[in-house]
Amino acid sequence: MAKIRVGRVSEQIKKELSQIIQMELKDPRIGFITVTGVETTSDLSQAKVYLSVLGSEEQKEETLKAIARGTGFLRSELGKRMKLRHTPVLLFKFDSSIEYGSRIESLLDDINNGNDAR
């Protein structure tokens, strides 16, 4: 039963953080960012937030620095919107699964194009 609640809380955190980052976080260093997932510990004390950022490596680093500087604001806004006894500590990480998937897709396309040439 606890796993179901943790899953629901994680999805709600993902939804709320997406809205807060897109609408209320006013930092010019933040580029096009997507919250791709949230993993919350079973006691809801920490939440790993996975982000996907569109742009170069330098832009990604700047975005991560800007998000890290706004962590307090994000956490306080999250606490206001969600009815939890304790707001989890937010840990931000890059989600490279989208880049990995597009790399695999391009490799498969290269293989298929090589077979068509024969």
Side-chain angles (χ1 to χ4, degrees):
M1 197 67 168
K3 287 185 180 183
I4 295 171
R5 180 171 188 262
V6 169
R8 285 194 323 234
V9 169
S10 295
E11 284 300 313
Q12 187 66 28
I13 289 172
K14 177 182 166 184
K15 178 183 165 189
E16 296 294 339
L17 279 178
S18 295
Q19 289 179 351
I20 294 168
I21 290 171
Q22 295 297 325
M23 303 297 180
E24 298 181 24
L25 199 59
K26 307 290 187 216
D27 195 328
R29 295 176 293 178
I30 295 177
F32 185 72
I33 189 169
T34 305
V35 178
T36 57
V38 175
E39 287 181 5
T40 310
T41 57
S42 60
D43 63 350
L44 301 176
S45 63
Q46 289 185 347
K48 289 182 187 174
V49 181
Y50 292 97
L51 305 172
S52 177
V53 180
L54 201 61
S56 66
E57 289 298 320
E58 183 178 312
Q59 290 171 330
K60 290 179 183 181
E61 291 300 320
E62 286 296 318
T63 299
L64 190 61
K65 287 179 187 176
I67 290 290
R69 289 180 59 103
T71 301
F73 171 75
L74 292 171
R75 190 171 176 211
S76 68
E77 283 296 312
L78 189 64
K80 291 175 189 174
R81 293 177 181 213
M82 294 183 67
K83 303 293 185 219
L84 294 174
R85 183 171 291 164
H86 300 287
T87 305
V89 175
L90 303 174
L91 305 170
F92 293 98
K93 298 183 179 276
F94 282 126
D95 185 9
S96 58
S97 64
I98 296 172
E99 295 170 2
Y100 181 74
S102 63
R103 173 78 176 132
I104 295 295
E105 188 174 336
S106 69
L107 289 174
L108 290 173
D109 285 343
D110 290 345
I111 290 171
N112 287 335
N113 290 338
N115 289 339
D116 292 342
R118 292 182 192 182

